[in-house]
Amino acid sequence: MADPYDFERAWLAKFSHCLDEIAGEEIRKEVMVGSETLSARSSPDLCEPQSSAAVIAWSRQAMDRLDALVDEQRRRAIMVGCACQYPRSDLQAIREVFASTGDVDLAHQMLQEQFESFLRTVLRLDDELVAEIVQRGWGSAGVRRGNTVIATKIPKSGYLVAYMAEPDPVKKRELYCHCPRIRDALKASERISPTYCYCGAGFYKGIWEEILQEPVEVELLESVLQGDGVCKVAIYLP
């Protein structure tokens, strides 16, 4: 069985590194206080529900400390640096085509085709559901509007079908998020600063920076953590 704390340790390491690089050692120490108990492989006096509650409590407090100690631009950069990344190997063909043509439309089209292939071959969704997801503008490619791409995350893959069938907007938000920490917080009706969601925005930053080989900026437009129905990110291309 996979260690349930693997994600926690890996994410905390990235967060700590980004804090150190962008805000400095003293702020890192202050924001990270208490995190050592979350990265332990096991704890004899914590059962799973307590562990989840501890992660939520620490996350809320850490984001509040980050908001209080660091200006908005740098805290966004810190969280963006914590993002899970799209596999670079899957982007190389798109990157090479863009390098040879300079055609952003073509790169975007290839990214969209790759996303739709993922829905059909990996998630094994039927054509009707794929068509609905595409019609909603969900997915890694997003919708291009000039030099801006508006990307709306799809619900967490394992909960996608349940999300589509769920009529309750509160329960839909609980099923939606890709991050286990935030899913648990939503289920517990706990508040965490939306600063955290720049972690998810960093996923899209990584995609386009790999394709274009240039820096891009991202902005969080909507998130389930703020009570929205979806998470939506603007990616500003050079």
Side-chain angles (χ1 to χ4, degrees):
M1 181 180 292
D3 182 349
Y5 293 100
D6 280 353
F7 170 83
E8 203 59 51
R9 285 197 301 273
W11 190 88
L12 288 168
K14 287 192 289 187
F15 186 42
S16 178
H17 174 76
C18 290
L19 282 164
D20 223 3
E21 289 290 306
I22 296 170
E25 182 181 8
E26 292 306 312
I27 287 178
R28 173 185 60 79
K29 289 179 178 178
E30 191 163 349
V31 173
M32 294 298 294
V33 66
S35 63
E36 61 279 356
T37 62
L38 305 179
S39 59
R41 180 172 293 275
S42 61
S43 178
D45 58 351
L46 285 183
C47 65
E48 187 66 27
Q50 292 171 315
S51 299
S52 175
V55 169
I56 294 168
W58 180 84
S59 302
R60 182 182 65 249
Q61 294 158 11
M63 288 300 105
D64 288 347
R65 290 191 290 266
L66 181 64
D67 285 347
L69 294 169
V70 180
D71 62 86
E72 184 176 14
Q73 183 176 359
R74 288 190 301 155
R75 64 180 183 254
R76 287 184 180 186
I78 288 165
M79 298 310 301
V80 160
C82 299
C84 296
Q85 295 297 321
Y86 197 100
R88 287 189 176 186
S89 60
D90 292 350
L91 296 171
Q92 293 316 297
I94 304 173
R95 173 185 167 181
E96 289 167 10
V97 166
F98 177 76
S100 64
T101 66
D103 190 334
V104 176
D105 284 330
L106 181 55
H108 181 265
Q109 178 186 332
M110 292 176 69
L111 190 60
Q112 178 65 25
E113 289 170 355
Q114 192 173 92
F115 171 66
E116 292 181 32
S117 175
F118 166 78
L119 295 179
R120 291 189 171 93
T121 63
V122 178
L123 298 189
R124 299 185 181 278
L125 303 183
D126 60 40
D127 289 342
E128 184 178 352
L129 186 50
V130 170
E132 183 172 355
I133 289 170
V134 171
Q135 188 274 329
R136 293 188 184 203
W138 289 357
S140 48
V143 177
R144 187 173 175 222
R145 299 173 182 167
N147 284 339
T148 301
V149 174
I150 305 298
T152 305
K153 280 187 178 287
I154 63 168
K156 173 70 175 173
S157 298
Y159 305 126
L160 176 59
V161 174
Y163 172 92
M164 299 297 282
E166 176 57 60
D168 185 336
V170 174
K171 290 182 180 178
K172 286 178 87 75
R173 287 195 292 273
E174 294 171 5
L175 292 166
Y176 183 89
C177 189
H178 291 228
C179 177
R181 178 186 291 106
I182 300 306
R183 284 200 306 274
D184 287 345
L186 290 167
K187 289 174 185 175
S189 300
E190 290 280 357
R191 182 201 66 83
I192 295 177
S193 168
T195 294
Y196 183 89
C197 295
Y198 272 88
C199 179
F203 175 78
Y204 299 98
K205 181 178 174 71
I207 289 174
W208 283 100
E209 288 187 342
E210 181 64 23
I211 292 171
L212 304 180
Q213 292 294 292
E214 290 189 62
V216 303
E217 297 299 322
V218 290
E219 180 184 6
L220 181 69
L221 302 178
E222 298 177 23
S223 78
V224 292
L225 202 51
Q226 299 178 109
D228 298 307
V230 295
C231 294
K232 188 174 292 187
V233 177
I235 304 100
Y236 301 113
L237 307 181

